[in-house]
Amino acid sequence: MKNILLAVVLLLSTSAFAQKKNAKTSFEVDGVCMMCKQRIEKAALKTKGVKFAKWDVNTHKLSLIIDERKTTAETVKKSVAGVGHDTKEFKATKEAYDNLHECCKYRDEEVQEDHKKPKK
C-alpha cells in the first residue's frame, strides 16, 4: 500500500513541475523604432528554445512562445539586454547600448520625443 501511495505522489509531483513545449510569455523591453524591433526579435529568436518572438513598438511588449525545456524568459531577457535593450530585470551594458544606432537611443529623452512626432 505504501508503494502505491508513493508512486501516486511521485507521479503527481512530476506532472506539477512539467515544462511546457509551447509556453507563452511576455515582458516589456525598452526601444523606440522599427530598427529596435528587428534587433529585439532577432536576439530573442537566436536564443535556443524560442519559437516565436514579436515586439510591439507602441506597448514595448515582447511576446514569446518558448520551449521551457530548453530556455526561460530570464535567458531571453539576458539575450535582449546583450544587444542593447533594457528589461526590468536586466539592463544593457554601456557598451551594448552605445553600439545602438543614434535613432535607437531609447534612454535619451530627445530621441523618445522625436519618435512620438507624427511622420510626414
Side-chain angles (χ1 to χ4, degrees), residues 14-112:
T14 303
S15 64
F17 295 108
Q19 296 170 325
K20 293 181 182 176
K21 188 175 181 180
N22 292 311
K24 293 181 181 180
T25 188
S26 63
F27 50 87
E28 286 189 27
V29 178
D30 290 334
V32 289
C33 66
M34 295 305 285
M35 285 178 26
C36 294
K37 176 180 173 64
Q38 290 177 329
R39 188 180 309 104
I40 291 165
E41 290 175 356
K42 183 176 180 180
L45 289 167
K46 278 187 159 185
T47 307
K48 183 178 180 177
V50 175
K51 298 179 175 188
F52 172 84
K54 183 178 179 184
W55 183 74
D56 186 286
V57 177
N58 298 315
T59 64
H60 297 183
K61 181 178 168 183
L62 177 61
S63 300
L64 302 168
I65 297 176
I66 62 173
D67 183 340
E68 290 180 327
R69 300 170 303 171
K70 297 179 181 178
T71 195
T72 63
E74 182 176 288
T75 302
V76 179
K77 290 175 185 179
K78 288 177 184 176
S79 296
V80 169
V83 297
H85 293 274
D86 297 344
T87 67
K88 287 182 181 176
E89 293 84 359
F90 298 98
K91 301 297 179 204
T93 63
K94 180 179 180 345
E95 182 181 7
Y97 180 78
D98 289 345
N99 283 332
L100 295 177
H101 188 274
E102 288 304 311
C103 90
C104 297
K105 306 280 184 168
Y106 55 87
R107 294 176 186 163
D108 183 336
E109 288 182 28
E110 192 175 306
V111 171
Q112 290 176 16

